[in-house]
Amino acid sequence: MGLFSKKNMEALNTPLLKENPVTVQVLGICSALAVTSKLAPAIVMGLSVTIIVAMANVIISLIRNTIPSRIRIIIQLVVVAALVTLVSEVLKAFAYDVSVQLSVYVGLIITNCILMGRLEAFAMQNKPWPSFLDGIGNGLGYAMILVIVAIVREIFGSGTLLDFPVIPQCVYDAGYINNGLMLMAPMAFFLIAIVIWVQRAKDKSLQE
Amino acid sequence: MKFLRNYLNKIKPNFEEGGKLHAFRSVFDGMETFLFVPNDTSKSGVNIHDAIDSKRIMSLVVIALLPAMLFGMYNLGYQNALAAGAVATTSCWEMFLFGLMVMLPKIAVTYIVGLGIEFIVAQWKNEEIHEGFLVSGVLIPMIVPAGCPLWVLAVATAFSVIFAKEVFGGTGMNIVNVALIARAFIFFAYPSVISGESVWVATESIFGIGHDLPDGYTCATALQYVNGGEIAVGAAGAQLSLCDMICGFMPGSIGETSVIAIALGAALLLWTGVASWKVMVSVFVGGIAMILLFTGLMPENDALQQPIYTHLLLGGFCFGAVFMATDPVTAARTETGKFIYGFGIGAMAILIRVFNPGYPEGMMLAILLMNVTAPFIDYCVVQSNVKARAKRLTKKN
């Protein structure tokens, strides 16, 4: 079986749209609400989750045949916790400001349903390479929604993008005010709802 | 009337299938059913209809809102003149005209945005145009301060019509009050235009009518003073009398100030049976009960230093009780439920005013909260009724 066979590419592609962890499976919502008020933390969070899901998938997939099924959840948690701790320490060392903004949410990746879901549903039954692609796909699907929501929230909530002002001063002089609701979690709910709305309007097979 | 009917009949074929203006059929349909009660008869099911359909009910509510709106316009001009110290030299008509010019663009913007969205949705889904926005379009401009910019009003109206109404299925399906969602949106998204001390009095003259106030002129609403434990003062810095509070000569959201004008509207709503007296009365009972309770528990609280009636007269308490809480779509439907629902609104409004100095106006949040709990109240009332009857049945046997 080739490295990029049709089946492997499917593992990578479907989580991006058709099986998107946030908009279709509705997993990982709380972190999507919490870290998306600015774009930079959203990108970092998306990448962290992508790396952790991919690595955890590979590790669990490698040892899947030796894990006793009774204690598999504990083993999965240990692997994820180790990876999360690693990522958290790296962030603290090299991107301290962002890690302060992300606060507890890096640590809470352990409890992110996407991780345990992928480990249980995919890595326990598949070989390391497809598991890796599946992890990358799901992580990127999650990151994509985070970035979309964060771009809208940062532009309309703070008037900046990655902390560069994008709304010119003359617009403010004409009476424009930043939308404070965008910086609150409820608006992230609305934005995710709009993304889901658009996606389901385009893809009829997702409608219930 | 005959002439209008004939004219509508004449242009009607243009909008029917195959006509050249078929694309605008929902607009025509909306106008026709607004002007005349539709004369089609039902083919199956219920064959008796009340002539007062929902379009007629909505029109009645708009008429009931008129006294408060007209007084609101006059008060805008009066507060502007008072702040400029020129009450004696400004005629009554000039004040009213000034208020009209502040108010008209707001009403126009709300209607254009709100009805525009309704027309588009109706056209897109091939449905009749819903009439619900008729009332919301008047309510929204009446519950914002004079200084609210038009674009903020447009954004808030669009947000509330789409997310509070259309996504739930349009008129009659919304679970929360559309006008209040618009106000809540402004309150949380753009707090600077709807709270604080600089937005309640119109500060610029329009086309030479009214007075330009000096930059940095501020005047809080009477409720803000009372909540802060101070004595309420008006736009010119003089203390507000009881008469001012009842008649409504004080700064505030445009339609909410005058208790007398609101009472006129309430009388019409109650007389025609559009609004429920149970909700109205229990809102006031809930409010009074809560004030008495808190005055007993913690008499030194800042917000409770004025006589009991001030909390009922100031802010949006009366306006909310009469026009917002009684909205038949979002209120509780069961008769016992209406008492609980109204009591909850009054009690919650006072609770928010007393305990949360960040939100001087508790009425908006109280009504929204009770809107959300109304289905639960109904459920409990119905279930307790079921239980009571089951009990009676077993007793008899």
Side-chain angles (χ1 to χ4, degrees):
Chain A
M1 203 160 67
L3 274 188
F4 292 98
S5 66
K6 197 163 170 245
K7 197 160 161 261
N8 284 351
M9 287 316 283
E10 239 168 46
L12 181 68
N13 285 335
T14 46
L16 286 180
L17 279 174
K18 223 171 164 57
E19 284 290 322
N20 190 293
V22 180
T23 60
V24 179
Q25 302 178 31
V26 198
L27 299 174
I29 292 293
C30 33
S31 54
L33 302 184
V35 302
T36 50
S37 62
K38 285 270 168 70
L39 184 54
I43 292 175
V44 172
M45 183 74 178
L47 285 180
S48 315
V49 170
T50 310
I51 293 167
I52 293 172
V53 187
M55 300 303 289
N57 262 0
V58 170
I59 295 172
I60 291 296
S61 175
L62 280 172
I63 57 173
R64 70 184 186 281
N65 294 327
T66 55
I67 301 176
S69 76
R70 278 189 176 177
I71 57 164
R72 64 182 196 282
I73 301 282
I74 299 173
I75 292 181
Q76 287 164 9
L77 267 181
V78 169
V79 170
V80 174
L83 287 167
V84 168
T85 313
L86 272 177
V87 167
S88 169
E89 294 300 319
V90 169
L91 281 183
K92 269 185 199 148
F94 295 103
Y96 185 72
D97 291 341
V98 178
S99 83
V100 167
Q101 282 182 42
L102 286 171
S103 66
V104 295
Y105 291 96
V106 176
L108 283 178
I109 294 176
I110 298 172
T111 60
N112 196 320
C113 314
I114 298 171
L115 271 138
M116 298 303 285
R118 289 335 288 170
L119 294 180
E120 272 288 287
F122 201 92
M124 289 297 283
Q125 288 96 33
N126 287 286
K127 292 205 168 110
W129 176 244
S131 300
F132 176 74
L133 289 178
D134 178 79
I136 295 281
N138 275 285
L140 288 182
Y142 171 81
M144 186 174 72
I145 303 300
L146 250 63
V147 167
I148 293 173
V149 173
I151 286 176
V152 178
R153 282 181 76 182
E154 189 169 350
I155 289 181
F156 291 104
S158 319
T160 58
L161 203 57
L162 287 170
D163 287 333
F164 291 110
V166 285
I167 294 179
Q169 188 58 36
C170 60
V171 179
Y172 286 108
D173 293 339
Y176 177 80
I177 313 166
N178 284 330
N179 189 325
L181 198 57
M182 281 287 177
L183 299 178
M184 300 181 202
M187 207 57 195
F189 255 129
F190 281 104
L191 291 172
I192 291 177
I194 293 173
V195 173
I196 293 176
W197 186 0
V198 170
Q199 193 189 358
R200 296 200 173 192
K202 290 232 185 255
D203 189 347
K204 302 277 186 228
S205 68
L206 291 174
Q207 289 175 7
E208 283 138 28
Chain B
M1 279 299 133
K2 201 82 187 198
F3 150 76
L4 205 56
R5 181 72 260 178
N6 289 338
Y7 177 69
L8 282 177
N9 285 344
K10 204 179 99 195
I11 62 168
K12 196 169 187 175
N14 287 334
F15 297 96
E16 276 159 6
E17 198 76 43
K20 56 184 169 192
L21 292 174
H22 182 59
F24 296 102
R25 65 190 178 283
S26 53
V27 180
F28 175 78
D29 198 54
M31 282 317 286
E32 191 193 16
T33 48
F34 174 67
L35 292 168
F36 293 97
V37 177
N39 61 354
D40 39 314
T41 48
S42 47
K43 309 262 185 313
S44 65
V46 183
N47 285 307
I48 301 170
H49 287 274
D50 196 333
I52 304 293
D53 60 5
S54 53
K55 280 199 175 69
R56 260 35 70 176
I57 288 184
M58 299 288 178
S59 316
L60 264 178
V61 180
V62 173
I63 293 170
L65 279 164
L66 279 181
M69 193 204 302
L70 293 177
F71 180 83
M73 289 177 184
Y74 170 74
N75 189 42
L76 279 174
Y78 179 77
Q79 294 302 330
N80 175 263
L82 195 63
V87 177
T89 56
T90 317
S91 73
C92 199
W93 279 111
E94 209 177 323
M95 291 178 192
F96 181 77
L97 205 60
F98 176 75
L100 188 72
M101 301 225 275
V102 174
M103 190 74 175
L104 264 190
K106 289 189 176 25
I107 299 178
V109 164
T110 330
Y111 266 122
I112 291 169
V113 173
L115 282 182
I117 293 172
E118 293 250 353
F119 278 22
I120 291 168
V121 171
Q123 191 75 40
W124 173 40
K125 293 195 153 180
N126 244 332
E127 284 171 353
E128 248 183 275
I129 284 181
H130 293 306
E131 51 283 352
F133 197 74
L134 224 52
V135 173
S136 310
V138 185
L139 278 175
I140 294 173
M142 287 175 77
I143 53 177
V144 297
C148 183
L150 294 178
W151 71 270
V152 168
L153 212 54
V155 172
T157 308
F159 178 85
S160 72
V161 169
I162 293 173
F163 286 103
K165 196 159 144 194
E166 294 305 340
V167 295
F168 288 102
T171 303
M173 306 292 205
N174 48 319
I175 52 171
V176 285
N177 192 305
V178 177
L180 276 180
I181 286 291
R183 192 181 200 276
F185 180 84
I186 302 177
F187 187 82
F188 289 108
Y190 307 104
S192 63
V193 304
I194 203 165
S195 52
E197 306 191 330
S198 56
V199 293
W200 305 100
V201 176
T203 51
E204 278 167 19
S205 60
I206 302 168
F207 300 132
I209 298 174
H211 306 274
D212 279 315
L213 300 185
D215 280 347
Y217 171 83
T218 60
C219 178
T221 62
L223 191 63
Q224 279 167 295
Y225 287 117
V226 169
N227 276 351
E230 296 168 44
I231 289 172
V233 295
Q239 193 186 334
L240 285 175
S241 65
L242 179 59
C243 171
D244 285 338
M245 293 181 190
I246 293 177
C247 299
F249 295 110
M250 55 188 176
S253 295
I254 296 170
E256 72 177 16
T257 56
S258 170
V259 178
I260 293 178
I262 293 168
L264 283 176
L268 179 70
L269 288 182
L270 291 178
W271 178 58
T272 53
V274 171
S276 157
W277 65 269
K278 292 172 184 166
V279 175
M280 274 190 213
V281 169
S282 51
V283 170
F284 285 99
V285 171
I288 294 168
M290 216 56 177
I291 297 173
L292 289 177
L293 177 72
F294 286 143
T295 323
L297 284 180
M298 31 180 218
E300 70 286 343
N301 186 296
D302 278 347
L304 299 166
Q305 299 309 308
Q306 306 297 321
I308 289 172
Y309 55 78
T310 44
H311 265 291
L312 305 183
L313 296 179
L314 298 181
F317 198 92
C318 290
F319 192 86
V322 170
F323 296 111
M324 304 287 201
T326 56
D327 174 4
V329 176
T330 53
R333 314 253 162 128
T334 50
E335 297 305 311
T336 323
K338 282 177 184 164
F339 285 115
I340 304 169
Y341 167 83
F343 189 89
I345 290 177
M348 201 58 76
I350 299 299
L351 190 79
I352 295 170
R353 283 184 186 182
V354 170
F355 282 105
N356 198 337
Y359 303 136
E361 180 51 279
M363 204 57 185
M364 170 182 82
L365 297 171
I367 296 175
L368 287 176
L369 184 71
M370 292 313 284
N371 279 169
V372 177
T373 46
F376 177 66
I377 295 172
D378 282 342
Y379 175 81
C380 290
V381 170
V382 170
Q383 287 305 311
S384 75
N385 199 18
V386 169
K387 263 188 205 137
R389 285 179 167 219
K391 217 177 192 176
R392 206 165 60 201
L393 195 70
T394 48
K395 231 180 225 169
K396 258 185 196 163
N397 296 337

